[in-house]
Amino acid sequence: MRRRIGVLGGTFDPVHVGHMALGRAACVALSLDELRLVPTGVPWQKDRVPSAAQDRVAMLRLAVAGEPGWIVDTREIERDGPSYTVDTLASLRAELGPDCAIITIIGSDQLRNLATWHRWRELLDFGHIAATRRERVSLEDLPAPVEALVAAHGADALPDTPAGGIVFFSMPAVPVSSTLLRSQLATGEAPAELLPAGVLRHIESRRLYRDVPPLK
């Protein structure tokens, strides 16, 4: 079997136990040899300006310290302009060569929104897509363009090819969101059980999220 590299992108602002559960589930379900967590540089589809890149990277490195084969990949932060997944995948393919499998890991919310991504039809030229249900967002009744893509490229198991397939996997439900976490932290709450080891200490030492208003 060829080498399998998972790619999990996001703002990770902050990284939380839901991200970790998603990564672990993907590693098991997809038999990944390596998981790359790619913090977004300039998130072109989000209105909110994320925390400083140095803090998001620092929190990610604390989170992955005990996870063998997990790597924090900073290429989007180091690249100028908007962070487009297709550019990241093209860069990874050029770096890793033509033979390994690259798997983009997304939640059901991102899958439903896939047709709004930059050059979304090219994603499968560079790797596979693996999707899982996230919170209450269904994988059923997908938008027509996405449904057509799944119909053309869907598979019951990840193909032993470098790219081109769409598969689904399951993960345990983890009721946590970055938005709610930021709101809690803004009011001085310290939900340590929702954050990987060391991340809360970094947040408190840097006084992150204190300028974020609480949810109404």
Side-chain angles (χ1 to χ4, degrees):
M1 186 180 295
R2 70 187 66 243
R3 185 168 174 77
R4 293 181 171 187
I5 310 296
V7 179
L8 178 56
T11 52
F12 299 110
D13 193 19
V15 57
H16 54 62
V17 294
H19 297 127
M20 304 301 289
L22 173 56
R24 292 181 188 120
C27 285
V28 173
L30 306 171
S31 299
L32 299 181
D33 296 291
E34 181 180 294
L35 177 64
R36 297 200 179 203
L37 291 91
V38 186
T40 304
V42 181
W44 64 283
Q45 284 194 323
K46 290 184 180 292
D47 295 330
R48 177 183 175 275
V49 177
S51 300
Q54 66 181 32
D55 285 310
R56 292 185 289 122
V57 169
M59 288 187 285
L60 269 177
R61 286 181 172 152
L62 288 167
V64 308
E67 302 288 345
W70 290 32
I71 296 171
V72 178
D73 187 318
T74 58
R75 71 187 62 225
E76 288 191 1
I77 284 171
E78 295 163 2
R79 188 167 66 227
D80 292 332
S83 295
Y84 296 131
T85 299
V86 68
D87 293 335
T88 298
L89 296 177
S91 173
L92 277 167
R93 178 58 70 194
E95 174 189 313
L96 298 172
D99 296 326
C100 74
I102 297 175
I103 305 105
T104 302
I105 300 161
I106 61 176
S108 49
D109 55 335
Q110 295 165 311
L111 181 65
R112 300 192 70 84
N113 199 39
L114 193 67
T116 70
W117 289 24
H118 181 64
R119 292 163 50 201
W120 66 283
R121 295 186 186 277
E122 298 177 37
L123 296 171
L124 293 177
D125 294 339
F126 300 107
H128 303 286
I129 293 174
T132 189
R133 178 167 177 164
R134 183 175 184 267
E135 297 169 4
R136 298 180 182 179
V137 182
S138 174
L139 287 166
E140 305 296 328
D141 299 320
L142 296 169
V146 179
E147 190 69 63
L149 190 75
V150 172
H153 297 276
D156 293 332
L158 192 69
D160 189 24
T161 59
I166 300 176
V167 296
F168 299 90
F169 68 98
S170 61
M171 66 169 287
V174 182
V176 57
S177 79
S178 295
T179 301
L180 180 56
L181 262 177
R182 289 193 298 270
S183 180
Q184 291 176 294
L185 291 162
T187 60
E189 293 184 49
E193 71 280 2
L194 300 180
L195 297 164
V199 172
L200 181 58
R201 287 195 299 274
H202 180 88
I203 290 171
E204 291 178 335
S205 68
R206 296 278 294 164
R207 297 189 61 80
L208 301 179
Y209 310 116
R210 290 301 179 92
D211 60 341
V212 180
L215 290 175
K216 295 181 181 179

